[in-house]
Amino acid sequence: MTNESEQFVPREVTEVRKKDKITAESLLSDNRSDKARTNITIWHENAAAGLLIESDTCGDARQEVPDLTRAVIVQSIGTAGSKEEYRGLINHRSIKAAVNVAHFAGNTVRPGVAPTGCGGLAAKEEMVAKGQQGSREGIGHYVENDIYHSDVIVQTCVSAIQMADMTDKPVLAAAQDHLTGIILPLIAFWTKGNTRYSIHNRSLTMDDILRPEKYSPSKIYRDGLPIIDEEDLPEVFHEYLMANTIETRDLHVKYPDFRERQTTQNPSTVLLSTDIRPPRLRLPESFDEPGSVFRLSLPRRKFANGTDISVEIPEKDLVSVVNQTQYPIEHFSNVENLIIETRDFQVSLDLMGHFMAKPWMKDWREKGGKQVILVETQGGRINRIADVKL
């Protein structure tokens, strides 16, 4: 009999690829490399100039964020959950615009049918179809309460609308074909002067997105994906989409089997972090390979305490991330590293206790050969790091 914690964890056939063992020492060395130092320096220069772009994506290891030295990341399964915790971030003077990017497999696109490819959204579809509800914890609770809809277009647009409601900065709803890496624009919101603008495809209306009784995949996908013309977007999104095109081209050159790699994922690492800088920026050698790390953001509050800054992770946000970890921990056979990084090493250590107490973490660590790496990072730079062998 399947227990509740396992009900909504989709399974897929995955291929285990041999990767170099990650250690605390290798991460520290990587973070202190010339490449990482240069990346972080340029990122801070772009932050000071107000040129950063917030990218809210799924934690899926197959999603790639473009233009790393301008990227701020917020990652959750299905790009779902409340955006309120990041109101201060999106309105920060360093942020120029924001994008919410869900993902799908391009080979599932059919006229009149919603594309698939995101495991979290697939779990939502299964739960709704079976009429299952009432999960008390774990991925089942997250899927039931935090994912709005199983349709990738609807979910990314709902998340983008939440973001647009919090700011006057340009916000784009988009979807990434994880098989190619290409990001496709769907809906945009921006303010110019005292006028509020929005643009969307003629086959997609706000009723289609916000009113469940109006949802009709045959209408939304009548002509395939309801993509909008890039030329109608603010300039900042031209830059973002061009950066995506260039980076995707480079990835296909560097990894000729990129599309094959992206058909499934089996990452060796799950990264839980309060750092808003992409891991590939800060740890360019450790996580350069596509599909190597499943990432989840830990929302945090910072408080000035004299000359020091203390960190707090709100309880409800911690619960949400703890619940989400069940998915990669149980879903992927190759996961051997859990990295927890915050601004304060003691906070990272305390968080380990929250995660280790869950039954899915108990099963994982008892398999042997696992490790937790605890990190204190400030400004993208590692101050302290240690590993715990399990």
Side-chain angles (χ1 to χ4, degrees), residues 81 172 283 371:
L172 177 68
L283 300 159
Q371 67 174 341

Side-chain angles (χ1 to χ4, degrees), residues 161-188:
I161 289 168
Q162 290 181 29
M163 297 162 72
D165 284 344
M166 298 190 300
T167 186
D168 287 335
K169 296 178 182 180
V171 175
L172 177 68
Q176 184 173 42
D177 176 1
H178 62 237
L179 296 182
T180 65
I182 291 295
I183 294 173
L184 305 167
L186 302 167
I187 292 184

Side-chain angles (χ1 to χ4, degrees), residues 5 27 39-40 77 100 123 200 210 227-228 249 322 331 338 354 372:
S5 68
L27 292 176
N39 286 348
I40 294 168
I77 290 177
N100 194 89
H200 52 82
L210 299 175
I227 302 166
I228 55 179
R249 179 198 65 198
V322 170
H331 188 45
L338 174 65
H354 286 275
V372 179

Side-chain angles (χ1 to χ4, degrees), residues 335-355:
V335 173
E336 58 185 9
N337 312 303
L338 174 65
I339 301 175
I340 303 173
E341 59 175 7
T342 71
R343 187 183 174 89
D344 186 308
F345 189 84
Q346 185 60 50
V347 172
S348 298
L349 180 60
D350 292 342
L351 287 178
M352 184 178 73
H354 286 275
F355 289 100

Side-chain angles (χ1 to χ4, degrees), residues 134-167:
S135 298
R136 294 185 298 275
E137 65 174 8
I139 188 62
H141 186 276
Y142 174 82
V143 167
E144 180 181 348
N145 295 280
D146 292 296
I147 295 181
Y148 175 79
H149 203 283
S150 62
D151 185 308
V152 62
I153 301 300
V154 174
Q155 180 59 54
T156 193
C157 288
V158 165
S159 293
I161 289 168
Q162 290 181 29
M163 297 162 72
D165 284 344
M166 298 190 300
T167 186

Side-chain angles (χ1 to χ4, degrees), residues 102-389:
H103 71 104
F104 66 100
N107 60 3
T108 67
V109 175
R110 303 282 188 278
V113 179
T116 60
C118 176
L121 300 188
K124 180 72 171 185
E125 182 177 33
E126 179 185 354
M127 177 181 286
V128 172
K130 293 181 177 179
Q132 295 166 323
Q133 57 184 356
S135 298
R136 294 185 298 275
E137 65 174 8
I139 188 62
H141 186 276
Y142 174 82
V143 167
E144 180 181 348
N145 295 280
D146 292 296
I147 295 181
Y148 175 79
H149 203 283
S150 62
D151 185 308
V152 62
I153 301 300
V154 174
Q155 180 59 54
T156 193
C157 288
V158 165
S159 293
I161 289 168
Q162 290 181 29
M163 297 162 72
D165 284 344
M166 298 190 300
T167 186
D168 287 335
K169 296 178 182 180
V171 175
L172 177 68
Q176 184 173 42
D177 176 1
H178 62 237
L179 296 182
T180 65
I182 291 295
I183 294 173
L184 305 167
L186 302 167
I187 292 184
F189 308 89
W190 71 96
T191 300
K192 189 173 183 180
N194 295 319
T195 305
R196 183 76 162 168
Y197 295 89
S198 66
I199 181 172
H200 52 82
N201 187 285
R202 62 185 174 83
S203 67
L204 190 64
T205 69
M206 292 300 106
D207 278 354
D208 296 328
I209 298 167
L210 299 175
R211 295 179 61 183
E213 72 275 13
K214 292 285 187 178
Y215 173 66
S216 172
S218 61
K219 175 179 182 292
I220 295 174
Y221 300 101
R222 180 181 57 200
D223 302 313
L225 291 172
I227 302 166
I228 55 179
D229 192 334
E230 294 181 23
E231 294 306 312
D232 295 330
L233 298 172
E235 183 65 27
V236 64
F237 295 135
H238 295 182
E239 299 167 0
Y240 178 86
L241 294 169
M242 178 56 70
N244 168 246
T245 299
I246 293 171
E247 178 165 306
T248 298
R249 179 198 65 198
D250 293 345
L251 279 169
H252 282 265
V253 171
K254 186 172 183 179
Y255 299 97
D257 63 341
F258 180 81
R259 185 183 180 92
E260 180 185 353
R261 286 169 174 262
Q262 297 291 94
T263 57
T264 60
Q265 60 172 327
N266 201 356
S268 62
T269 300
V270 174
L271 172 64
L272 313 175
S273 180
T274 59
D275 200 313
I276 58 175
R277 300 159 194 83
R280 287 194 298 132
L281 176 98
R282 303 177 286 113
L283 300 159
E285 296 301 322
S286 303
F287 300 127
D288 175 70
E289 185 177 351
S292 59
V293 56
F294 194 100
R295 309 157 303 263
L296 293 172
S297 294
L298 284 163
R300 87 294 185 255
R301 299 170 183 159
K302 292 196 297 186
F303 300 94
N305 183 16
T307 58
D308 297 323
I309 295 178
S310 58
V311 175
E312 175 188 88
I313 298 173
E315 179 66 22
K316 66 181 181 64
D317 299 321
L318 175 58
V319 169
S320 175
V321 177
V322 170
N323 285 337
Q324 289 178 72
T325 59
Q326 184 191 358
Y327 179 80
I329 290 295
E330 287 195 348
H331 188 45
F332 305 120
S333 61
N334 203 30
V335 173
E336 58 185 9
N337 312 303
L338 174 65
I339 301 175
I340 303 173
E341 59 175 7
T342 71
R343 187 183 174 89
D344 186 308
F345 189 84
Q346 185 60 50
V347 172
S348 298
L349 180 60
D350 292 342
L351 287 178
M352 184 178 73
H354 286 275
F355 289 100
M356 291 298 108
K358 294 302 176 181
W360 53 90
M361 300 303 301
K362 180 177 183 292
D363 294 342
W364 174 72
R365 68 173 182 262
E366 287 180 351
K367 293 177 182 177
K370 312 299 184 182
Q371 67 174 341
V372 179
I373 299 178
L374 304 174
V375 187
E376 176 183 296
T377 178
Q378 296 181 16
R381 300 176 177 92
I382 294 175
N383 290 338
R384 184 178 176 187
I385 188 168
D387 55 36
V388 180
K389 299 295 189 296

Side-chain angles (χ1 to χ4, degrees), residues 39-47 49-55 65-73 94-99 235-243 247 276-278 281:
N39 286 348
I40 294 168
T41 297
I42 296 172
W43 188 95
H44 282 284
E45 291 171 350
N46 286 329
L51 297 175
L52 300 182
I53 298 178
E54 178 185 334
S55 289
V65 177
D67 208 356
L68 292 180
T69 57
R70 292 182 62 186
V72 165
I73 58 167
S94 64
I95 303 293
K96 186 174 183 179
V99 184
E235 183 65 27
V236 64
F237 295 135
H238 295 182
E239 299 167 0
Y240 178 86
L241 294 169
M242 178 56 70
E247 178 165 306
I276 58 175
R277 300 159 194 83
L281 176 98

